Amino acid sequence: RFLALAWRHGLMPLVCHHLLNSFTELVPAGHLQKVRDDFQHNSARNLLLISELCRVLEEFEELGIAAVPYKGPALALQVYGDLKLRSFVDLDLLVRHGDASRAGAVLTARGYRPHLDLSPVQESLLSRSECDRVYLREGRNIVLELHWAVAPPYFSVGVTTESVLADCARVEIGGREVGVPSSEMLLLILCVN
């Protein structure tokens, strides 16, 4: 029951880490192996996502597209200091609204496809009424949410993309230093989410 609750609340990697490092004698053998397997599976998945994030960020940088990862691996590093201690299922990148279509083209060239097939008119409406576009990379089962705002325009949120880009902290992700939302910005973004 405890392990099921840890999964449900997204805390399984953190629970696994502590069970494996401090409380192995308290965990029944069958469950201990499951904990090890779950932790290793999550770590492997996170490494795949980090690798992809680094490649996308590198391509964006080459084209002059400023991008800030948040939630997912960036949050794991900011909060826990370790990518393995948080589970995440997708990647979230924040770009300027004016760069969103170029960033989408980069993703398409990398083998992603938009989650929804939209006409140009629908694409324009989405751009004005929402804050993100979901892209899927088949074969690797990667979901990447490309955000051009922290929240849709119908939310009264005073956090702008420009303010996030201007107030970044630096963390190392996959061997490269990357800008992520500052702690104060991160708190506001997470409250909105």
Side-chain angles (χ1 to χ4, degrees):
R1 180 174 163 84
F2 174 71
L3 295 176
L5 284 171
W7 268 118
R8 187 176 325 144
H9 292 286
L11 296 172
M12 191 56 170
L14 192 59
V15 166
C16 289
H17 172 76
H18 288 291
L19 288 176
L20 293 171
N21 289 311
S22 302
F23 302 102
T24 53
E25 72 283 353
L26 300 176
V27 182
H31 291 296
L32 189 61
Q33 187 56 50
K34 174 142 179 47
V35 167
R36 277 191 185 96
D37 292 346
D38 288 347
F39 190 74
Q40 288 175 349
H41 176 77
N42 182 71
S43 296
R45 175 76 180 154
N46 287 2
L47 288 174
L48 169 75
L49 291 171
I50 289 300
S51 172
E52 182 65 15
L53 176 64
C54 288
R55 287 186 189 104
V56 169
L57 288 172
E58 191 174 297
E59 288 188 37
F60 282 5
E61 188 177 311
E62 287 172 7
L63 295 172
I65 300 172
V68 173
Y70 69 104
K71 298 192 290 186
L75 183 60
L77 287 169
Q78 286 176 277
V79 174
Y80 300 121
D82 189 336
L83 294 168
K84 297 177 296 211
L85 298 184
R86 184 169 190 272
S87 61
F88 43 92
V89 295
D90 65 357
L91 299 171
D92 294 272
L93 286 172
L94 180 65
V95 299
R96 289 182 175 91
H97 190 269
D99 288 335
S101 64
R102 282 192 318 135
V106 169
L107 294 175
T108 302
R110 286 195 56 72
Y112 286 86
R113 66 173 177 75
H115 172 62
L116 299 171
D117 291 324
L118 301 177
S119 70
V121 170
Q122 291 170 322
E123 190 81 45
S124 176
L125 289 170
L126 178 85
S127 174
R128 290 193 315 266
S129 64
E130 293 298 326
C131 65
D132 68 336
R133 182 90 154 99
V134 177
Y135 289 84
L136 308 172
R137 186 161 185 202
E138 302 294 332
R140 298 191 87 186
N141 295 324
I142 297 175
V143 176
L144 191 148
E145 293 182 25
L146 187 63
H147 298 259
W148 50 86
V150 170
Y154 47 83
F155 280 20
S156 287
V157 177
V159 180
T160 65
T161 300
E162 286 302 324
S163 63
V164 174
L165 291 170
D167 188 24
C168 283
R170 306 297 288 178
V171 298
E172 186 179 309
I173 297 179
R176 62 178 291 156
E177 195 170 281
V178 174
V180 296
S182 67
S183 297
E184 296 81 6
M185 284 291 181
L186 180 62
L187 178 61
L188 293 172
I189 291 168
L190 293 177
C191 287
V192 169
N193 277 269

